[in-house]
Amino acid sequence: MRDLVSAGYQQVMRLLAAVREMDRRLTKRVASWREPALHRTLSAVEEAAEGSKLWCGAAVVMVWIGGRDGRKAAVAGLTALALAQLVSNGVCKQVSGRSRPPKEWIPHDEVEDRPDSSSFPSGHTAAAVAFTAAVAPSWPAAGTVCAVPAALVAVERVQSGAHYPSDVAAGAALGLVSAWLVRRLPQQALRRLP
């Protein structure tokens, strides 16, 4: 039994080392992108997403032009976003305490504007993915439109040096789980009513 535990531990340690190496390589590569148009686009999307302004604005537009489907999509999206932010920023970041990528990996001055909070997981990505994934079942066209800035937010978090790719992946997974819970739990509760 002890040999099995030791072998499992060694496998986990090798996996973590591989993730750290992938994080290092991808962070350096993405942070070194220098195309001005891409840099401006990513910065603009991140600014719009800061404080969930982009997603709240999208919800207002959905309510205004989407009728019943738009209202349903907006409520689901904002609820999933709130859940994702609560778990990512209120729980996970408080527990993990992961440092941001080293400044020397980031060859531009945006690295000076990143938050002091824990790097893991990406709250921006969790919110973007949660909103988008919760909107899509009610209004697929709106979900498709929201997927573009959600993907750009995820890329920007690495490009700016605010997060490692694994932080972004964890944020995306958290966003998907939040959207799934928001879509499924009310259905489950209604099925249990007499």
Side-chain angles (χ1 to χ4, degrees), residues 2-18:
R2 184 172 288 180
D3 290 340
L4 184 62
V5 171
S6 177
Y9 175 79
Q10 289 174 0
Q11 287 289 88
V12 168
M13 296 313 293
R14 280 193 289 272
L15 175 64
L16 290 175

Side-chain angles (χ1 to χ4, degrees), residues 167-193:
D167 299 335
V168 169
L174 180 57
L176 290 172
V177 169
S178 297
W180 183 82
L181 287 171
V182 164
R183 303 294 304 185
R184 296 288 295 165
L185 289 181
Q187 294 170 1
Q188 296 296 326
L190 288 175
R191 286 187 192 142
R192 293 188 177 154
L193 290 176

Side-chain angles (χ1 to χ4, degrees), residues 115-129:
D116 292 331
S117 61
S118 172
S119 181
F120 184 86
S122 169
H124 282 77
T125 304
V129 171

Side-chain angles (χ1 to χ4, degrees), residues 28 37 74 90 98 106 112 175:
K28 285 180 158 186
R98 186 180 194 188
I106 315 303
E112 301 301 328

Side-chain angles (χ1 to χ4, degrees), residues 30-88:
V30 174
S32 69
W33 292 347
R34 300 236 184 232
E35 295 80 17
L38 176 63
H39 184 73
R40 281 192 303 273
T41 301
L42 292 175
S43 293
V45 170
E46 191 278 331
E47 179 61 34
E50 187 67 35
S52 301
K53 295 179 294 219
L54 176 62
W55 313 116
C56 292
V60 168
V61 171
M62 288 176 200
V63 167
W64 185 44
I65 67 170
R68 184 176 187 277
D69 287 345
R71 290 188 298 276
K72 187 175 176 184
V75 168
L78 291 175
T79 304
L81 179 148
L83 177 60
Q85 286 188 325
L86 175 67
V87 174
S88 67

